Amino acid sequence: MMKSGEAKRDKCFVLRAAAAFLLIGIAATKAQGITLDQYLDQVKTDSNSYKGATTQAEGNNLEAREADLLFTPKLFAEFNTGHDGKPSQPKMYDRVNTETYSLGIQQQFEFGLQGKLSYQMQKTTFDNAGNAFTMSKYWDATPKLELTMPVWGGGFGRTARANEDLIRQGNYAEQYQASYQSVAFLAQAEAAYWKLSAWSDVVRIQEAASKAAQDIYNYVNRKRGMNLGEQADVVQARALVEARGLELQVARNEQREALRNFNKFLNKPATTPVDNLESVQYATLEKITVPSSRPGERYDVKATQAQLQTAKANATVAKERNRPTLDIYTTYNLNGRDDAYDQAMKNAGYTDTDTAYIGLRFNMPLNIGAAGDAKSGADKNVKAAEYNREYALYAQEQDWINLTQNLTDARDNLVLLGKIEQAQKTKLDVERTRLRQGRTTTYQVLLFEQDYSAAALSRVKSAANILALQTQIKLYQASPEEGK
């Protein structure tokens, strides 16, 4: 019985220990909260906006490879069957039936040549053919080579190369715009994280300031009750309580707004609670190094370069399309005919029955005015794209100068605000010591507490401003090359 009781006690002890460890683990997990990196990883995983932008960028990057198809060989095949029942004169048959099979390869070359190499088999059958026909059914085998070379409008591959740029650069422009959206989205998410973290400190400071204001009011009101103070002091203290209460309410409203914004990037309900974010490292922010040079171009600026290339390609296509065209073309066929298809194929291997043509093909638009306007419009679009590109480069440089200068100023301000906060704290500590020595009044200490709270609040908001500015630097990170 004793052993059984001891075993039960041991078992209970083990269960209690396991439960204690479990509770400790849960508390530790809760205390750990969510770090910035974890938050950004969740944004990448849970935000449909971010996933939409990154997926679009990936899609545009892959779609740009459509340009590679313009100058690659293409396989083509064709089959058709039919009949022709028109009466012949003199009447030699009732109807002619045909079956045609074609297989070949065609390619557009960068220097303009268009080539097509094919093999065609055609079966011809005459219904009720007269005795004049040596074969009422036969096969035609025709190896065929066709070449076309534009030498004026679109000549020597100008249109083909422009179409390649049009497809490739158009997709790159969209890729860069989508990439900019995804990078900017993460920067906004990071700013939202630090805003929520900083506003926890703002609310805490405003709560302390509100409590200090209430203490001042209680103090002067008590003094007035003993006829040792003025009613004006009570009125002034009440106004201070109301003002600090309003500031606390505003801070809490801004904290709730920061929470809603925080959750928006995670696609979560707006009021989902969040605990234990990373704390703002004020001392570290006072020592940040502001980049001396811009790391790279923003994605939206790189998009303007691709848009300029697209405009140039589109202008080339428009100009070549509205020019007169002059094409040199040639065809060369070998011909074989027999009532058996395999023999027809053998007969097609001899040049004594070949067919060859060479010629010129010319087209010219007759509305010269409309063609000229179309060309002028294309040139203006290119000029507009050049202006947009130049302004984007200029604006990017100005934005970078403003960002780095604002970041430098904010860092210097934070250092000064840190010194002011420390001075106010020292002043408050000295006054509290004097109060214990009976050399000052409680009222004076409460006023110094207000000064200290104001200095601490300014420092927190300055740090939050630095963190928001730092996120903007990520927009200028060196971007990958096209197609990567």
Side-chain angles (χ1 to χ4, degrees):
M1 293 294 294
M2 291 293 294
K3 292 183 177 179
S4 175
E6 291 176 357
K8 289 182 178 179
R9 285 195 297 272
D10 291 343
K11 184 177 181 181
C12 291
F13 175 78
V14 171
L15 291 175
R16 286 196 298 269
F21 280 118
L22 180 61
L23 291 174
I24 292 173
I26 293 174
T29 301
K30 184 177 180 181
Q32 183 180 2
I34 176 172
T35 66
L36 175 62
D37 290 340
Q38 291 171 339
Y39 175 67
L40 294 180
D41 287 341
Q42 288 185 23
V43 170
K44 294 176 183 178
T45 302
D46 299 337
S47 173
N48 290 332
S49 178
Y50 178 81
K51 289 189 289 187
T54 53
T55 302
Q56 181 181 347
E58 293 169 359
N60 291 133
N61 186 26
L62 294 174
E63 196 173 352
R65 292 215 58 203
E66 181 185 353
D68 297 336
L69 299 177
L70 292 178
F71 300 117
T72 56
K74 297 177 178 64
L75 179 69
F76 68 90
E78 183 180 354
F79 165 76
N80 67 69
T81 182
H83 67 271
D84 185 358
K86 293 194 301 291
S88 61
Q89 186 65 33
K91 184 174 178 61
M92 304 174 64
Y93 56 85
D94 291 341
R95 189 173 72 172
V96 58
N97 306 297
T98 59
E99 294 179 15
T100 305
Y101 307 84
S102 297
L103 180 67
I105 294 177
Q106 60 184 0
Q107 184 173 359
Q108 166 75 58
F109 295 92
E110 290 190 29
F111 58 88
L113 182 66
Q114 303 166 19
K116 181 185 291 187
L117 179 63
S118 62
Y119 201 102
Q120 179 176 297
M121 294 290 294
Q122 184 177 59
K123 178 183 178 182
T124 304
T125 304
F126 295 94
D127 293 343
N128 299 321
N131 295 330
F133 279 80
T134 58
M135 289 186 293
S136 60
K137 180 181 72 172
Y138 57 84
W139 286 86
D140 284 313
T142 310
K144 183 184 297 185
L145 175 65
E146 302 174 64
L147 299 174
T148 302
M149 185 67 179
V151 295
W152 197 342
F156 304 102
R158 287 190 297 271
T159 298
R161 292 191 298 273
N163 279 322
E164 180 188 27
D165 283 344
L166 197 60
I167 295 173
R168 195 183 306 278
Q169 297 300 329
N171 278 286
Y172 283 158
E174 294 183 13
Q175 176 193 351
Y176 290 137
Q177 290 288 8
S179 296
Y180 179 76
Q181 291 175 10
S182 64
V183 173
F185 190 83
L186 282 184
Q188 294 167 6
E190 183 174 343
Y193 180 95
W194 288 121
K195 172 108 183 253
L196 182 58
S197 177
W199 249 247
S200 298
D201 292 341
V202 169
V203 170
R204 176 180 55 79
I205 293 171
Q206 292 288 22
E207 287 173 343
S210 180
K211 181 180 181 303
Q214 185 64 47
D215 289 342
I216 291 175
Y217 172 75
N218 294 339
Y219 177 81
V220 297
N221 192 47
R222 187 168 58 253
K223 297 276 287 183
R224 178 68 184 88
M226 294 184 294
N227 293 322
L228 298 175
E230 299 291 335
Q231 182 63 29
D233 294 337
V234 176
V235 174
Q236 184 177 3
R238 183 184 294 277
L240 180 62
V241 169
E242 297 298 333
R244 292 294 179 263
L246 175 61
E247 291 169 357
L248 175 58
Q249 185 61 43
V250 170
R252 287 173 174 167
N253 291 341
E254 291 175 343
Q255 185 184 37
R256 285 191 286 268
E257 181 184 4
L259 175 62
R260 293 193 296 269
N261 197 38
F262 179 95
N263 286 321
K264 182 186 71 174
F265 290 97
L266 297 175
N267 275 17
K268 287 185 177 180
T271 56
T272 302
V274 178
D275 295 323
N276 302 315
L277 301 181
E278 288 185 35
S279 300
V280 177
Q281 302 298 317
Y282 300 96
T284 302
L285 292 177
E286 292 178 0
K287 301 175 182 178
I288 60 170
T289 301
V290 179
S292 58
S293 59
R294 181 166 45 82
E297 284 191 348
R298 294 195 314 243
Y299 278 119
D300 62 326
V301 177
K302 288 183 72 69
T304 62
Q305 176 61 33
Q307 289 164 355
L308 174 57
Q309 296 301 115
T310 301
K312 289 181 177 180
N314 190 56
T316 299
V317 171
K319 289 178 181 179
E320 298 300 325
R321 184 173 57 239
N322 293 293
R323 281 177 176 165
T325 61
L326 178 62
D327 299 341
I328 302 174
Y329 68 92
T330 182
T331 61
Y332 182 75
N333 304 342
L334 296 176
N335 304 290
R337 175 176 292 182
D338 199 89
D339 56 357
Y341 75 90
D342 54 346
Q343 188 60 43
M345 295 174 66
K346 292 180 180 179
N347 294 340
Y350 302 101
T351 58
D352 53 345
T353 57
D354 63 347
T355 303
Y357 293 97
I358 187 170
L360 297 173
R361 191 180 296 118
F362 177 77
N363 282 288
M364 185 182 73
L366 297 179
N367 192 338
I368 306 300
D373 289 343
K375 295 176 185 178
S376 298
D379 288 335
K380 288 183 179 296
N381 287 334
V382 172
K383 195 64 179 177
E386 290 175 347
Y387 287 142
N388 291 337
R389 171 64 175 168
E390 291 172 3
Y391 179 76
L393 290 172
Y394 167 78
Q396 175 183 242
E397 195 60 32
Q398 296 305 307
D399 291 344
W400 175 254
I401 292 172
N402 288 335
L403 175 60
T404 53
Q405 187 59 55
N406 290 339
L407 190 55
T408 301
D409 294 343
R411 179 196 60 193
D412 296 342
N413 291 343
L414 182 63
V415 173
L416 293 175
L417 288 169
K419 293 178 179 179
I420 293 173
E421 181 186 6
Q422 185 59 44
Q424 293 289 0
K425 185 177 185 305
T426 302
K427 184 177 72 171
L428 176 60
D429 291 340
V430 169
E431 201 66 17
R432 283 171 176 168
T433 301
R434 295 182 68 223
L435 178 64
R436 288 193 295 269
Q437 296 171 350
R439 299 167 57 192
T440 188
T441 63
T442 303
Y443 181 75
Q444 191 70 17
V445 172
L446 294 174
L447 288 178
F448 285 3
E449 285 182 352
Q450 289 285 297
D451 294 340
Y452 174 62
S453 296
L457 184 62
S458 297
R459 187 172 182 236
V460 171
K461 292 186 176 181
S462 179
N465 182 41
I466 291 177
L467 290 167
L469 290 172
Q470 279 187 311
T471 64
Q472 299 301 307
I473 293 179
K474 296 183 178 181
L475 301 179
Y476 295 84
Q477 296 303 315
S479 29
E481 295 299 323
E482 293 90 346
K484 299 299 184 182

